[in-house]
Amino acid sequence: MSVPPEITANHTPEKNFIKGLYYAGRDPAYVFLHGFTATPEEHRFLAADAHSAGNRVVVPLLPGHGTNPQELGRTRWSDWYRATEEAVLVAGGSRAPVIVVGQSLGGLLALHLAVRRPEWVEALVLLAPAIFLRAWWLEKIAPVLPFLAWLRPYWPKGPSDIADPQARVARVGYDSIPLRALRELVALQRVVRAEVSCVRHRTLIVQSRLDHTCRWRGVEFLCQHLRGPVQTLVLEKSFHVVSLDCEREQVASAIREFAAALRG
């Protein structure tokens, strides 16, 4: 995939990239992947921090997101993954490996990328990866979700799982969840859990003890099954969306230190 000419020709610090974010800079490049029903906005703070050191940063908008829940309901997890590969190519991953930062759903996509395209990935940063949801019963009813979707296609989404009240109000995302898309998320979880033992990249996992969306069991599972060196950052005040929450500066600092150690 060639880099879109409008991006190549751009010399400003920031530019829209398919409704996502693009920051020009040098290698190593970063690719940030947002969460389920969210947008690239949840990575703006971390992306800008990564770019402050002069690195190139790409934050794609995953298919079905940033428009309306109806469009999300028409997508499959393979669509989200295809957009992930395209973003890495724009970042230059086929030439020089990139650091992939994935939040929640984005963490699943980052892990799948590390299995499918290991040569494109230098290291992984997983922010509250959606390995196991607290709503564990969703996996039990996943086979009937398409049927339930005929009766009630969209399920209301509660307040964003963010402790910081200002960040919670400012967060951009859907207020409802398409059940068909939810089934795709569960399907991707199963795929990633089955293949994660193939991942040999250096990995930083960031998880809060107060996460109401994903279970701590996911961190334990990854530490047990990942084959590369693993570091963990445990947060004590944030909820699920750690890139936006009250400890976001600590998260940004941890990513900087992790990336610097790769260079060392």
Side-chain angles (χ1 to χ4, degrees), residues 197-233:
S197 60
C198 298
V199 177
R200 300 181 181 276
H201 301 78
R202 288 184 176 274
T203 303
L204 169 64
I205 304 172
V206 181
Q207 182 87 24
S208 174
R209 296 189 188 278
L210 302 179
D211 190 320
H212 302 101
T213 302
C214 293
R215 298 163 65 186
W216 183 261
R217 179 187 172 194
V219 177
E220 297 171 340
F221 179 88
L222 291 173
C223 289
Q224 180 181 359
H225 290 87
L226 290 172
R227 293 292 178 252
V230 178
Q231 298 174 229
T232 58
L233 170 63

Side-chain angles (χ1 to χ4, degrees), residues 5-84:
E6 66 273 14
I7 291 179
T8 305
N10 177 62
H11 298 289
T12 59
E14 178 184 334
K15 180 178 175 62
N16 288 333
F17 162 55
I18 315 177
K19 298 182 180 178
L21 303 171
Y22 178 86
Y23 298 78
R26 61 175 180 267
D27 294 328
Y30 289 76
V31 173
F32 285 80
L33 304 169
H34 64 75
F36 187 62
T37 74
T39 72
E41 286 298 315
E42 72 177 14
H43 278 311
R44 183 178 288 274
F45 177 82
L46 296 181
D49 188 83
H51 178 255
S52 67
N55 299 93
R56 185 167 58 261
V57 180
V58 176
V59 193
L61 177 68
L62 297 176
H65 294 77
T67 53
N68 56 68
Q70 291 78 11
E71 185 170 338
L72 179 58
R74 292 190 289 268
T75 62
R76 299 292 179 264
W77 73 258
S78 57
D79 299 320
W80 309 333
Y81 177 69
R82 183 175 62 254
T84 297

Side-chain angles (χ1 to χ4, degrees), residues 143-161:
V144 301
L145 282 175
F147 172 75
L148 295 177
W150 284 104
L151 302 176
R152 187 174 183 178
Y154 308 98
W155 196 262
K157 189 174 184 292
S160 296
D161 195 8

